[in-house]
Amino acid sequence: MFLSCLCGTVSAQTDTAQTDTVQVDSIMSVPTVKEKKPSLFKRIGKGISKIISEFDNVDTSYIEPQHYKFQAMLQSTTNLESYEIRQKNGASVTFAPETSTKIGPYAGYSLIFLGYTLQFNNLHIADNAKTFNLSLYTSLIGVDFYYRKISDFRMTDVKAADGTAVDVSPLVDKHFEGFDVKRWGYNIYYIFNHRKHSYPAAYNQSTCQRRSAGSPLAGFGYSKYALSMDWNRIVDMASQYVEEYKDKMEGMQFFENIDYSCYSLYGGYSYNWVFARNWMLGASLTAALTYNKSSGEQMRLEKFFSDFKFSNISFDGVGRMGIVWNNTRWFAGVSGQVHSFAYSKSQFSLRNTFGNINIYVGVNFGKKKRYRTPGKFFEL
């Protein structure tokens, strides 16, 4: 009896062990479910979100982030420009449009900044000049877009073929309608040390530089030119106002129409100097290696080396400077930028220099959530 019970006990334990073994085996044999990879759209969205978050990734010991969502500003913009056309024989003429100053209100939200300006001086040139400038400055990248169409110039300097300076004082402020220009283009550049150096602090007033810092810059640009000139009118004007130089002026022959594109690679440096509380002086300079291609020249990718011409290369540049007072609520300052592009052919060369000067004062309002008093939905 005792033996029978003992055998039954052992048998039961054995059966239990076997059952446990079967359970373990069945558990281990369950196939592993592979984690589903996110879709392409989700990965793209995640990447974009990561890039956007980098815009606010700054060292707050160097940069004070923007505390507000909205901006209101009054700004005056003065546009400056000149074109120097030089012949191989030394003859040259320089044109400049009438200097224009516009003033108007602007309103901004985040990276979007819109406004309306009125011509402040020389209202009669409004019909002959169309100008559009857009600059977008963020911690990571900067973008300049410009468009200009103008057909109202004056001659500011003239030299004859033998290098003799021509007194053109009688021509000053005389309109020259034989020169038409249309140009547009853009520049895009990357700010490497964007966590400590704030490009917007100098040129967009959206952040405050608290400690001096600099950063290398690199980028690319494109511009398109379409120019036409009736050079016989130069001779006519010289005959009318500077008659004694007529013979020398008749030796000047320039292009009639030219259409070309510029492809540029930029590299340079920007620095913000904080010289007092809430005050900052910023400056940047970038040099450009530019390839100029006229409309009649081919530039095919499959024949890049055979189509490439070293004579089409020029060295250009972009410079900026700004002085700003900003206490995060109110801001005021002066900023300016200048662009210089060259175009050269066997018989003549062209140098275009243009830029603008901005004077502004404004206020920020509508605090961001992180800077609002707890519990308030909106706070000025």
Side-chain angles (χ1 to χ4, degrees):
M1 183 68 176
F2 174 78
L3 182 59
S4 175
C5 291
L6 181 60
C7 290
T9 303
V10 173
S11 176
Q13 290 177 349
T14 301
D15 293 341
T16 303
Q18 290 176 349
T19 302
D20 291 343
T21 301
V22 172
Q23 290 176 348
V24 172
D25 290 344
S26 63
I27 293 175
M28 294 181 65
S29 64
V30 174
T32 304
V33 179
K34 292 183 179 180
E35 185 178 351
K36 187 178 181 181
K37 290 184 178 180
S39 65
L40 176 62
F41 292 105
K42 287 186 177 180
R43 282 180 285 170
I44 293 175
K46 187 176 181 181
I48 294 174
S49 178
K50 186 176 181 180
I51 293 174
I52 293 175
S53 64
E54 187 65 20
F55 282 79
D56 293 326
N57 187 7
V58 298
D59 186 338
T60 53
S61 63
Y62 280 83
I63 300 172
E64 182 72 25
Q66 174 65 282
H67 291 195
Y68 303 87
K69 293 182 178 181
F70 306 97
Q71 287 182 317
M73 180 178 73
L74 183 66
Q75 177 172 289
S76 168
T77 300
T78 301
N79 293 302
L80 306 168
E81 188 163 9
S82 71
Y83 289 85
E84 181 188 22
I85 305 168
R86 183 177 296 275
Q87 286 288 94
K88 187 178 181 180
N89 60 11
S92 68
V93 59
T94 302
F95 295 100
E98 197 75 41
T99 300
S100 63
T101 300
K102 296 183 178 182
I103 187 169
Y106 287 80
Y109 172 75
S110 186
L111 298 179
I112 302 173
F113 216 85
L114 301 174
Y116 181 79
T117 59
L118 293 174
Q119 192 77 28
F120 188 70
N121 66 328
N122 298 317
L123 295 176
H124 69 276
I125 72 171
D127 293 336
N128 296 324
K130 296 180 180 179
T131 302
F132 177 78
N133 296 292
L134 173 65
S135 294
L136 174 64
Y137 302 121
T138 70
S139 59
L140 286 175
I141 61 173
V143 180
D144 295 318
F145 180 82
Y146 46 87
Y147 171 85
R148 187 160 174 82
K149 183 179 181 181
I150 189 167
S151 57
D152 194 356
F153 288 87
R154 58 190 176 90
M155 287 192 293
T156 60
D157 185 54
V158 178
K159 290 183 174 63
D162 60 2
T164 304
V166 179
D167 179 15
V168 295
S169 56
L171 298 175
V172 174
D173 294 329
K174 299 295 190 299
H175 296 290
F176 180 79
E177 298 180 353
F179 187 44
D180 298 323
V181 174
K182 183 173 72 172
R183 62 166 172 80
W184 69 273
Y186 59 84
N187 303 313
I188 301 175
Y189 34 90
Y190 179 80
I191 298 95
F192 288 89
N193 189 26
H194 57 270
R195 292 181 179 86
K196 293 184 178 180
H197 171 79
S198 175
Y199 214 65
Y203 310 110
N204 199 35
Q205 313 89 43
S206 58
T207 57
C208 298
Q209 188 81 45
R210 292 308 187 193
R211 295 170 60 184
S212 300
S215 174
L217 309 174
F220 60 91
Y222 172 81
S223 57
K224 177 76 172 178
Y225 283 81
L227 305 94
S228 64
M229 184 174 74
D230 183 356
W231 59 268
N232 287 319
R233 290 200 180 189
I234 301 177
V235 179
D236 294 339
M237 290 189 68
S239 301
Q240 182 180 356
Y241 296 103
V242 205
E243 188 174 357
E244 63 271 26
Y245 290 105
K246 179 179 178 180
D247 293 338
K248 292 180 179 180
M249 294 293 291
E250 286 179 343
M252 300 176 67
Q253 295 185 5
F254 301 101
F255 64 86
E256 293 183 355
N257 295 282
I258 185 170
D259 191 340
Y260 69 97
S261 301
C262 305
Y263 305 85
S264 303
L265 293 176
Y266 290 92
Y269 195 80
S270 176
Y271 191 79
N272 290 344
W273 175 39
V274 180
F275 58 89
R277 179 177 174 79
N278 298 330
W279 283 94
M280 190 209 69
L281 175 65
S284 72
L285 182 64
T286 55
L289 183 66
T290 301
Y291 187 84
N292 302 300
K293 184 184 77 66
S294 66
S295 58
E297 293 178 315
Q298 290 185 325
M299 196 64 185
R300 299 161 296 186
L301 291 177
E302 68 274 13
K303 295 185 177 181
F304 176 82
F305 293 102
S306 60
D307 291 340
F308 185 87
K309 297 178 181 179
F310 281 99
S311 59
N312 287 352
I313 293 177
S314 65
F315 294 94
D316 307 310
V318 180
R320 291 179 177 81
M321 182 171 287
I323 183 168
V324 185
W325 176 83
N326 192 338
N327 69 353
T328 71
R329 165 69 79 171
W330 295 91
F331 59 88
V334 180
S335 67
Q337 58 177 297
V338 59
H339 302 248
S340 180
F341 292 97
Y343 180 77
S344 180
K345 286 299 177 184
S346 58
Q347 296 301 318
F348 72 94
S349 63
L350 169 70
R351 169 67 69 176
N352 173 219
T353 303
F354 64 93
N356 57 64
I357 300 173
N358 300 315
I359 303 174
Y360 55 86
V361 59
V363 61
N364 297 303
F365 61 97
K367 285 186 177 181
K368 294 181 177 179
K369 185 177 180 179
R370 73 181 74 170
Y371 301 107
R372 291 200 299 260
T373 303
K376 286 194 174 183
F377 177 76
F378 182 82
E379 185 176 5
L380 289 176

